[in-house]
Amino acid sequence: MALGVTALCCSVWCASAAAAADDADIEALLARMTLEEKAGQLNLYAPASGALSNPALHIRSLAEQEADIRAGRVTGLFNGAGQAAKRRAQQLAVRESRLGIPLLFAADVIHGFRTVFPVPLAEAASWDTDLAERTARAAALEAAADGFHWTFAPMVDIARDARWGRGVEGAGEDVLLARRLAQARVRGFQSGEGGLASTAKHFAAYGAAEGGLDYNSADLSPRTLREVYLPPFKAAVEAGAAAVMTSFNDVAGIPSNANRELLTGVLRDEWRFDGVVVSDYTADEELIAHGFAADGREAARLSFLAGVDMSMQSGLYLLHLPALVQGGEVPAARLDEAVRRVLRLKKRLGLFEQPFRGLEAPEPAARPEHRTLAREAARKSVVLLRNQGGLLPLPKAGLRIALIGPFADEADGGSAADLFGPWTLFPGRAAPVSLAQGLRDALSDPSTLKVVKGSGVNEPLPGGIAAAVSAARRADVVLLALGESAQMSGEARSRAGITLPAAQQALAEAVAATGKPVVVLLRNGRALALEGAVRDAQALLVTWFLGLETGHAVADVLFGDVSPSGRLPVSFPQAAGQVPYHYAHRRTGRPLPPQDPGSDFKTRYIETPNEALYPFGHGLTYGRFDYEALQLSHPRLPWGGTLQVKARITNRGAREAEETVQLYVHDRVASVTRPVRELKDFRKLRLAPGASAEVEFTLRSADLAFIGRDLQPVVEPGLFDVWVAPSATQGLRASFELAAP
Ligand code: NOJ
């Protein structure tokens, strides 16, 4: 069926008044729907893959799925559905269901579609919002060309506990960086012709799971919730995110999927979000396992009344909502409200006019220009943690290189998944570039590269260490490709420790004992606690999961075609026992020297310094940047006014490089104790050798707001410290006073 107006205005999702005013067609459609058809619009599931059904897992057979579509009992399908299956399903919906309402096709398009980009945490290390927007846009174009309409991304959960496996899907530990990337990704997915509707997930505090254990309870103060975990969602909503997905966890005893305070109080009433709230996968039914609902009917009622519009996979809404409405336990108006939101989403995606969008043409391949973007994104995601004696960059000729480790060459019995990382559901046919391949492509004489596996990811290889040591002895420099497999990060992939597996550590120790210079190429989906020969290697590059162009991008950095420019979006602790760890912690009453010299009774561990091994914001380049001449435009920031903070940055190194200049603030005395530092802004700067630039930031008094005693944002006059810095623990410091009103 075709509704009157497509109303796509500026983007696939536009909540403008004009669009809303045009919803008479939706009202007319609503008026024609039965209760079951309405509940059907709120019922989303993964497509059938064949003749088998599994009621316990809510898996429908193809025959059941087709019957559901004809009867208007399903609103859309997610993941898994190839083009032909989507086309067939859409034909049934549009031509054979009573009302002809088109299906929505959703997918987890997390870091690319056919073209696989770096995992979101890696891309966050670029601190490049324009890049994040462009990769989201590219992913959206490829997915839309394959007939998808809606992505379950971006994940905007703050992650401060490196044990939590899903940190890999987000933007790291910092609120400002997460807010900016959330907005960039929403814009990238949604803006312009041919994008996808986006979903900010997982609402809320999913990353605050106790012990870093996925799905676990989050018990946190309302202040931390509002100050740390909610702002990225608010930012995504302000950028126009079409949908919000609930989280699996409970927040202080109330499962998110039934958390009316959050879903209705905060999201709808405070933030005025009018898009679709979708449950996570069977999260409504899981209220029973939580011990919050006695049965499916109660679970459906509690979820729906709390504010979840659409149910993913459980089928509980379809099963129970009609009777709940008939029995007066759920107001009919609440049902209409949820259905209206879903129909609006479909309308704004243009589905009523073009239900077969992306399904007419044959299955599209990855776009060639996206491969170039994948290499750019991967290069920019690499973080150089350490470069003793300027070992890097390496020359492309005249060196014998041994590339050793379980991630040296996926073509040699490894897995392409380990280049991609988690959540790569739709990779194209092009083979990803392994480290070995990338290095060979870059070297003047590829025969100078010797590749040895040396160890499995978790288990030693028979004779592996001996082979590695002998290769290292014959080499001038060793590249050690160590870290985590894709299987070690992502959903349900929490780790009790965040060190390297023992087999790899043993390999690193043996290789280091040869005395050859070692460059560690770390593959990881989280901050790791680095130990021994890995921590002490001459050079250390964090390469995360970089996607399709991994090998080329790492070679670009290793050989100095580009200077590394990534900055850590998560602090690397000194020891695994420090987690959860993040830079923006509060001071205690007994801080360590130099903040407070004196007695022994200070905040500290017996065995380990408190500081990070590498703090948030850290990352070296092949330049050498000096920070000088910090100046404030005035010693006082007028109430409601602005203050300019300036510093001169000079590249005294011998190579052009990009510096990420960071602005931090600390509120010295407030009615609620404040973090030792908070990131307020950052700027990227490319400087030739010897060149200088003045960086100027503008601080507004509103930037100094925090969540006060009454849980409302407040700005308090008084003294503040400000840093212009290359990381969260360095930089030039000044102070200013925020004047009273
Ligand atoms: C569960 C995950 O938590 C969520 O992020 C994802 O979108 C859904 N499954 C659908 O795959």
Side-chain angles (χ1 to χ4, degrees), residues 308-320:
V308 181
D309 298 316
M310 187 186 284
S311 165
M312 189 197 296
Q313 196 63 22
S314 72
L316 288 187
Y317 279 14
L318 181 70
L319 201 59
H320 298 296

Side-chain angles (χ1 to χ4, degrees), residues 626-631 646-650 652 692 694 732:
D626 279 353
Y627 285 56
E628 294 158 314
L630 178 64
Q631 276 179 8
K646 264 201 275 191
R648 196 172 58 249
I649 317 294
T650 306
R652 298 204 204 280
S692 274
E694 191 125 283
L732 302 174

Side-chain angles (χ1 to χ4, degrees), residues 76 98 178 196 235 316 375 377 577:
R98 188 177 78 90
L196 300 175
L316 288 187
R375 185 161 177 170

Side-chain angles (χ1 to χ4, degrees), residues 198-278:
S198 73
T199 311
K201 70 187 189 184
H202 307 81
F203 196 69
Y206 188 35
E210 256 177 41
L213 182 63
D214 203 11
Y215 315 132
N216 207 4
S217 293
D219 203 341
L220 70 176
S221 73
R223 173 166 299 105
T224 300
L225 182 66
R226 284 188 175 266
E227 204 158 80
V228 176
Y229 290 91
L230 295 187
F233 286 93
K234 184 157 190 270
V237 165
E238 284 167 0
V244 167
M245 186 188 291
T246 64
S247 59
F248 287 125
N249 57 289
D250 72 82
V251 180
I254 316 295
S256 296
N257 210 74
N259 201 317
R260 196 175 152 76
E261 293 80 359
L262 282 174
L263 296 171
T264 298
V266 174
L267 196 56
R268 301 287 184 200
D269 298 346
E270 280 184 40
W271 298 352
R272 299 274 154 230
F273 176 66
D274 72 349
V276 172
V277 174
V278 60

Side-chain angles (χ1 to χ4, degrees), residues 295-306:
D295 53 27
R297 183 185 164 100
E298 191 180 15
R301 179 173 59 79
L302 290 171
S303 301
F304 194 61
L305 290 178

Side-chain angles (χ1 to χ4, degrees), residues 615-632:
F616 173 84
H618 171 74
L620 303 175
T621 70
Y622 294 152
R624 190 168 57 76
F625 290 94
D626 279 353
Y627 285 56
E628 294 158 314
L630 178 64
Q631 276 179 8
L632 305 185

